[in-house]
Amino acid sequence: VSWKHRITKQLVSYKTLRSLPVERKAFWWLVGRWLGDGWLRHYENEEGKSSPKKSRFNTIICCDRTDNDVELNEILSRVRACGFKYVIRKHRTSYKISLRGKEICKFFLQFGRGAANKEIPGFVQALPVPVLKKFIQGYISADGCKRSKQTGHYKFSTVSQKLAVGMTQCLHKALGIGVSIHKREQHHTASVIEGRKVNCKPIYVGEFRIHGNKERSLCIELDGMLWVPIRKITVRK
């Protein structure tokens, strides 16, 4: 038996509806946080086929360990509010919170696997504004920062172009603001982590202001559309 959920507008089974607290704002904050700083350990055996590997359904959220557990407590308060089972693993400079459960792991598969392939599904962008704001707050807590308290200037960065574009659409709907996105190569020092050479992808940096001077804003909202000036058009093959 399944029906359309009143918030996500998706067809969901009774079992899924019970196991995922999609009506809680804390849940959507966690979704945003995972999108910015999380990954999956997912492996599922094909039905009817034997395999030496066991199925795995782990949802991992990472956070800082050098801030007197501020981030950890922020995340755990939402995890407990949602009633999820979890395990915390300590590392030298970070914590990894592992959420156990098949349903939540398969839910996050809809957002893409690997940092460069993450995106925001349409059902998230269709969330009611109060819920969407919590999702944005969760994401900014992971991949964003406040550059100025006076102007409400925020910045976020990601290696996924689809995620950057999706976040601009969410910010437009939830806050009625425009986002400036530019692509840049990462600094050469980012290619070395604890003495190991790693490959670095270009990043997409988004910047926006929540309560800046609207009279100086170059963006105009009209009939649900956001109009911005175009400096130049570049044709790419």
Side-chain angles (χ1 to χ4, degrees):
V1 180
S2 63
W3 59 84
K4 185 176 288 187
H5 191 267
R6 68 180 183 86
I7 291 184
T8 64
K9 307 303 181 185
Q10 282 190 306
L11 287 175
V12 292
S13 68
Y14 180 68
K15 180 180 179 182
T16 301
L17 188 62
R18 287 183 62 189
S19 61
L20 295 184
V22 294
E23 296 189 10
R24 289 181 176 269
K25 292 181 180 179
F27 172 76
W28 293 105
W29 187 96
L30 282 175
V31 173
R33 177 74 198 201
W34 176 90
L35 195 61
D37 216 351
W39 65 92
L40 301 176
R41 288 176 179 163
H42 170 263
Y43 174 80
E44 190 170 5
N45 289 322
E46 293 186 36
E47 188 174 351
K49 291 187 178 181
S50 60
S51 172
K53 296 176 64 176
K54 292 184 178 180
S55 296
R56 301 181 69 181
F57 301 98
N58 289 341
T59 302
I60 313 297
I61 300 177
C62 186
C63 71
D64 189 14
R65 194 186 166 192
T66 62
D67 64 349
N68 294 320
D69 294 350
V70 172
E71 283 193 2
L72 177 66
N73 292 328
E74 188 178 32
I75 294 170
L76 290 183
S77 67
R78 271 81 174 191
V79 171
R80 290 164 182 154
C82 293
F84 291 132
K85 296 180 180 179
Y86 65 92
V87 174
I88 302 173
R89 289 184 172 85
K90 295 181 181 180
H91 296 268
R92 188 172 63 84
T93 60
S94 66
Y95 288 109
K96 291 180 181 177
I97 302 104
S98 177
L99 307 181
R100 302 297 177 87
K102 181 177 180 179
E103 294 297 334
I104 187 171
C105 183
K106 298 191 78 170
F107 172 84
F108 278 118
L109 286 173
Q110 301 173 95
F111 293 76
R113 298 194 67 173
N117 300 314
K118 285 183 177 179
E119 58 182 314
I120 302 176
F123 70 84
V124 174
Q125 298 179 30
L127 289 169
V129 169
V131 181
L132 190 58
K133 286 181 177 180
K134 288 297 179 182
F135 166 77
I136 293 171
Q137 289 174 9
Y139 175 74
I140 295 299
S141 75
D143 268 356
C145 64
K146 181 183 285 188
R147 302 195 67 183
S148 171
K149 293 183 179 180
Q150 289 74 22
T151 62
H153 185 183
Y154 285 81
K155 174 182 176 181
F156 67 86
S157 61
T158 173
V159 294
S160 170
Q161 184 179 17
K162 287 184 178 181
L163 175 54
V165 172
M167 188 54 59
T168 65
Q169 294 171 333
C170 290
L171 285 162
H172 175 207
K173 176 182 176 179
L175 302 176
I177 58 176
V179 181
S180 172
I181 296 180
H182 59 275
K183 178 182 177 182
R184 74 183 189 195
E185 298 296 328
Q186 295 198 48
H187 194 271
H188 65 89
T189 57
S191 62
V192 179
I193 300 178
E194 295 188 347
R196 295 180 293 109
K197 184 77 174 179
V198 296
N199 294 324
C200 287
K201 297 180 180 294
I203 61 174
Y204 298 86
V205 180
E207 297 189 54
F208 60 94
R209 288 176 171 82
I210 292 182
H211 49 73
N213 188 342
K214 292 186 176 181
E215 294 182 356
R216 298 181 58 186
S217 175
L218 297 178
C219 303
I220 300 176
E221 187 177 14
L222 183 63
D223 298 329
M225 301 292 289
L226 199 65
W227 298 86
V228 297
I230 298 175
R231 293 181 180 178
K232 68 176 181 178
I233 297 177
T234 303
V235 179
R236 295 184 177 181
K237 295 183 180 180

